[in-house]
C-alpha cells in the first residue's frame, strides 16, 4: 500500500491532491480566494502600519519602542483572548473594560489598603471575574437574555462597583518596589531564554509533525509531506529568531508579553485539540445541531462567559501593574473597543463558529501599533479614538465580506 | 437482547405546541430486529414523534418505556446514552466543521487530546460502508452536496452502535446507489438485532424493508399495516378516506385510458 492513490483519503479521483511545497502554496491561494483569509489581513495591516508610521517618525521601528509596544499590548491582549471565546459562540461581552477596571480596583483595595498577600488579591479578582461571567451565562441560558444587553448592563454596574471601591481618593498607587509593578514595567527575559523560546516552537512542530505523519502513514492516510513541514518550521523559526534578535537590540522580550503568549498557546490547544474546544465551535456554528449531538450547550456558554470575564480580570491586573496604579480611569475609554477590535482584526468572526486564539495576539499587535504610532505623532486622544473606531469598522467589513465570499464558495 | 424483545413502548404520548396539537395519544412499539415504517402526510407529526424519542422535544403527556423500564427522555444526551440514534430531517450538522468533526461531535475519541488520525480512519470506514461519494473528510460540511450531507448524517447515527436507529426521510436526497446502500444498511442493522424506525414518503422503499407500517394522520394513530397491505388501503389510511385525491386521479387516468 505504498502507492499514494491507494490511501484511504485519496480514493476519489476528482480531488486535486496538493503535494509538496508548491501544492501547499496552491492550496493556500485557493483558500484565500474563497474568503478564508486567515492571517492575511493582519500581515497586510502590519506592513502598511510599519511603512506609514516609520516614514512619519523613524522612532516607531526602533527596538526599544517595539519593546514598549509589547509591554502595552499584553493587558489588552489578555482581555481580547477572552473576547475570542465569546465571539466563537456568536455572543459578545461589552463589559470587559469595566471588568478589568474593577479587577484592578479589587487588587488595589485588597492588597495595598487591606494588606492581603498580592497573590491572593489577584486570585480574588480573577474569581470575581469568573462569577460575573457565570452570571452572564446564567442570564443567557435561563432567560434567553441576549448577551449584548446583559453585558451592557454589566458595563455600568461593574463600573459603578469600581468607583465605589476606589471611593473618594479615586486611585490607589501600587508600591514601586513590588514584584507586580516590576513585572509590568521592567521585567525582561534573559537573552538565552528568549532565543530558546524562539527556537522551541519550530523544534516541537517538527517533532510532533513527524510523529503524526508516521501515525497517518501507518493508518493508511495521506500526509502533506516532509518538505512542507520543514519549510513551515524553518520559516517560523527564522521569523521568531529575527524578532527576538531585533528586540534584544533594545531591552529585550518583556516577561509580561511572554506570559500573555503562554495563555494564547494554552487556549489555542484547548480550542483545537480538546472536546471542549470542538464543542465551542459546534455551538457557535449551529447551537441546535450541537444540542442534538448531546453537547450541553448551556455548560459551554457558561464556560465561555466565565473564561472571558476571568481573562478580562487578569488583563485588568496586568494593566494595573503596567500603570503601577488602580484608578477610576482604568478600563474605561477605548479598552472595550480595542479588545474586541483586536479579536476581530486577528480573524475571529463576529458571527460565531470561526476564529482562533492567535487572533487575539496578532490583532492586539495591530491595535497597539496604531495607538503607539499615533502617540508618537503627538496626536490627541480625540483623533486616536476616531482612527481606532475606523479601524474596527474596516475589520468588521472585511469579516462580513469574507463571510459572504465563503457562503458563495460553499464554505461555512 | 433477543430478537423480538420489546425495546421501545409508547403509550398515550401527546405533544402540544401552543394551540397546535402535533401528537395525540400516540401508541408505538418497536421490537429488536424489526423495521417499523412511520408514514403519513405532510404535517402528520412524524418528525415531531421522532424528536420526542430523540429527546429534542419533551412530550406533554404519555409514557415511554425502554426495555421494560419507564424512562424520561429529557435531553438528546439521555436518548443517545440509552442507544437511540437519529437522522433528523434537517440533518442537524454543523456547517462550519469538517466531516470528521461532525461525525464524532459530542463523542470525540480522547477528549483531552483529540485523536484525529483514529477518528479520520473510522470516518472513512463508516462512509465506505454507505458507498459514500465524499472526496475529502477534511472539508467543511458547507461545501458538500445535499446527498453527501445526508450520508454524513446517516454515518453519524451508526457511530455509537445504537439499539434503535431512527431515520427521518433518509433517502430523500440520495442517488440510486446510495439509496440501495441505505436500504441494505437498514436490513443489516435489523439483522444485527437492532430496531429501526424509518420515515419515508416513498412507498416502494417502505414496502421493501418494513416489517410493520404505522400510519399517522393529523397527529393520531391511524392503523398498523404490513407490507402485504394493498397500496390503495395504505393511501386511504394516510389520507383518511377511501375517496381521496390519489384514488380520484387513478380513476381519472383509467377512464382516459379506456376512452
Ligand atoms: N417547533 C414547532 N412549533 C410549532 N409547531 C410545530 C413545531 N414543530 C412541528 N410543529 C407542527 O406540528 C405538526 C407536525 O409537524 P411534523 O414536522 O411532525 O410533520 P411531519 O409529519 O414530519 O411532516 P413532513 O412529512 O412534512 O416532514 C405541523 O402542523 C407543524 O406545524
Ligand atoms: Mg417531517
Amino acid at each position: 500500500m505504498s502507492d499514494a492513490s491507494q490511501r484511504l483519503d485519496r480514493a476519489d479521483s476528482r480531488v486535486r491532491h496538493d503535494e509538496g511545497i508548491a501544492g501547499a502554496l496552491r492550496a493556500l491561494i485557493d483558500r484565500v480566494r474563497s474568503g478564508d483569509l486567515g492571517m492575511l489581513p493582519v500581515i497586510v495591516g502590519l506592513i502598511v502600519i510599519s511603512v506609514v508610521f516609520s516614514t512619519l517618525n523613524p522612532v516607531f521601528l526602533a527596538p526599544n519602542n517595539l519593546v514598549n509596544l509589547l509591554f502595552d499590548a499584553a493587558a489588552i491582549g489578555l482581555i481580547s483572548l477572552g473576547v475570542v471565546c465569546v465571539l466563537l459562540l456568536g455572543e459578545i461581552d461589552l463589559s470587559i473594560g469595566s471588568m478589568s477596571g474593577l479587577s484592578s480596583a479589587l487588587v488595589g483595595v485588597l492588597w495595598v489598603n487591606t494588606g492581603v498577600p498580592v497573590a491572593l488579591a489577584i486570585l480574588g479578582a480573577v474569581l470575581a471575574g469568573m462569577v460575573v461571567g457565570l452570571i452572564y451565562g446564567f442570564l443567557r441560558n435561563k432567560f434567553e437574555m441576549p448577551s449584548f444587553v446583559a453585558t451592557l448592563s454589566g458595563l455600568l454596574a461593574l463600573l459603578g462597583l469600581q468607583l465605589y471601591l476606589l471611593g473618594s481618593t479615586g486611585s490607589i498607587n501600587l508600591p514601586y518596589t513590588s514584584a507586580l509593578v516590576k513585572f509590568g514595567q521592567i521585567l525582561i527575559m534573559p537573552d538565552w531564554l528568549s532565543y530558546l523560546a524562539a527556537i522551541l516552537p519550530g523544534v516541537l512542530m517538527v517533532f510532533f509533525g513527524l510523529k503524526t505523519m508516521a501515525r497517518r502513514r501507518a493508518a493508511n492516510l495521506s500526509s502533506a509531506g516532509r518538505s512542507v513541514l520543514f519549510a513551515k518550521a524553518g520559516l517560523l523559526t527564522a521569523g521568531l529568531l529575527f524578532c527576538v534578535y531585533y528586540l534584544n537590540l533594545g531591552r529585550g522580550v518583556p516577561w509580561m508579553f511572554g506570559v500573555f503568549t503562554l495563555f494564547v498557546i494554552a487556549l489555542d490547544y484547548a480550542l483545537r485539540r480538546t472536546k471542549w474546544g470542538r464543542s465551542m465551535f459546534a455551538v457557535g456554528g449551529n447551537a441546535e445541531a450541537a444540542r442534538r449531538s448531546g453537547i450541553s450547550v448551556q455548560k459551554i456558554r457558561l464556560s465561555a462567559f466565565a473564561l472571558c470575564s476571568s481573562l478580562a480580570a487578569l488583563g485588568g491586573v496586568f494593566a494595573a501593574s503596567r500603570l503601577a496604579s488602580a484608578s477610576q480611569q482604568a478600563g474605561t475609554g477605548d479598552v472595550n473597543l480595542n479588545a474586541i477590535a483586536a479579536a476581530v482584526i486577528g480573524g475571529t468572526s463576529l458571527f460565531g463558529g470561526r476564529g482562533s486564539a492567535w487572533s487575539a495576539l496578532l490583532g492586539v499587535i495591530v491595535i497597539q501599533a496604531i495607538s503607539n504610532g499615533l502617540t508618537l505623532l503627538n496626536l490627541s486622544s480625540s483623533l486616536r479614538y476616531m482612527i481606532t473606531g475606523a479601524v474596527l469598522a474596516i475589520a468588521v467589513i472585511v469579516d462580513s465580506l469574507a463571510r459572504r465570499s465563503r457562503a458563495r464558495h460553499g464554505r461555512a | 437482547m433477543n430478537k423480538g424483545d420489546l425495546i421501545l413502548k409508547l403509550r398515550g404520548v401527546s405533544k402540544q405546541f401552543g394551540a397546535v396539537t402535533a401528537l395525540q395519544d400516540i401508541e408505538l412499539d418497536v421490537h429488536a430486529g424489526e423495521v417499523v415504517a412511520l408514514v403519513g402526510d405532510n404535517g402528520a407529526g412524524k418528525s415531531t414523534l421522532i424528536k420526542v424519542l430523540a429527546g429534542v422535544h419533551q412530550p406533554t403527556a404519555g409514557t415511554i418505556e425502554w426495555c421494560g423500564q419507564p424512562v424520561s427522555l429529557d435531553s438528546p444526551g439521555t436518548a443517545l446514552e440509552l442507544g437511540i440514534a437519529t437522522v433528523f430531517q434537517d440533518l442537524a450538522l454543523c456547517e462550519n466543521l469538517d466531516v470528521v468533526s461532525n461525525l464524532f461531535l459530542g463523542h470525540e475519541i480522547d477528549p483531552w487530546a483529540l485523536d484525529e488520525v483514529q477518528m479520520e480512519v473510522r470516518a472513512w470506514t463508516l462512509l465506505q460502508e454507505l458507498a459514500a461519494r465524499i472526496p475529502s473528510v477534511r472539508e467543511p460540511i458547507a461545501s458538500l452536496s445535499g446527498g453527501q450531507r445526508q450520508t454524513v448524517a446517516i454515518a453519524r447515527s451508526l457511530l455509537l452502535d445504537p439499539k434503535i436507529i431512527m431515520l427521518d426521510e433518509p433517502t430523500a436526497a440520495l442517488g440510486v446507489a446510495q439509496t440501495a446502500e441505505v436500504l441494505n444498511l437498514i436490513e443489516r442493522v435489523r439483522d444485527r438485532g437492532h430496531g429501526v424506525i424509518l420515515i419515508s414518503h416513498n412507498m416502494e422503499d417502505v414496502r421493501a424493508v418494513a416489517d410493520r407500517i404505522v400510519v399517522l394522520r393529523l397527529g393520531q394513530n391511524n392503523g398498523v399495516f404490513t407490507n402485504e397491505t394493498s397500496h390503495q388501503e395504505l393511501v386511504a389510511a394516510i389520507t383518511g378516506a377511501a375517496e381521496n385525491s390519489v384514488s380520484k386521479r387513478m380513476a381519472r387516468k383509467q377512464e382516459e385510458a379506456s376512452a
Side-chain angles (χ1 to χ4, degrees), chain A residues 269 273 275 278 291 353 410, chain B residues 56 95-96 111-112 114 116 143:
Chain A
Y269 179 88
R273 306 280 297 136
K275 180 175 177 167
R278 198 50 59 85
R291 184 172 87 91
Chain B
V56 173
E95 301 233 318
N96 58 329
W112 295 104
L114 300 183
E116 297 285 356
S143 65

Side-chain angles (χ1 to χ4, degrees), chain B residues 46-47 89 168-169:
Chain B
K46 307 179 295 294
S47 299
Q89 192 167 15
D168 195 346
E169 304 197 21

Side-chain angles (χ1 to χ4, degrees), chain B residues 41-48 51 89 168-169 199 201:
Chain B
D41 256 340
N42 292 131
K46 307 179 295 294
S47 299
T48 308
K51 284 181 187 164
Q89 192 167 15
D168 195 346
E169 304 197 21
I199 295 181
H201 288 296

Side-chain angles (χ1 to χ4, degrees), chain A residues 194-195 197-199 201-202 230-247 253:
Chain A
S194 60
Y195 280 112
I199 294 170
F230 286 131
K232 274 188 190 164
L235 271 177
L236 179 71
T237 310
L240 286 176
L241 277 177
F242 175 75
C243 291
V244 167
Y245 162 79
Y246 195 73
L247 291 171
V253 183

Side-chain angles (χ1 to χ4, degrees), chain A residues 8-9 12 15 215-216 219 221 269 273-275 278 281-282 285-286 288-289 291-295 353 410-412, chain B residues 56 76 80 88 90 92-96 101 105-108 111-116 120-121 124 135 142-143 156:
Chain A
L8 268 180
D9 48 350
D12 199 307
V15 194
R215 276 200 69 202
R216 286 183 68 89
L221 294 169
Y269 179 88
R273 306 280 297 136
T274 72
K275 180 175 177 167
R278 198 50 59 85
F281 281 94
N286 185 343
E288 179 59 19
R291 184 172 87 91
R292 291 190 195 169
S293 311
I295 292 173
R411 310 176 67 110
Chain B
V56 173
L80 285 170
F88 293 98
D90 58 6
L93 299 169
C94 287
E95 301 233 318
N96 58 329
S101 312
L105 198 56
H107 307 280
E108 288 84 356
W112 295 104
L114 300 183
D115 191 341
E116 297 285 356
E120 192 168 332
V121 170
W124 281 114
S143 65
R156 177 167 73 176

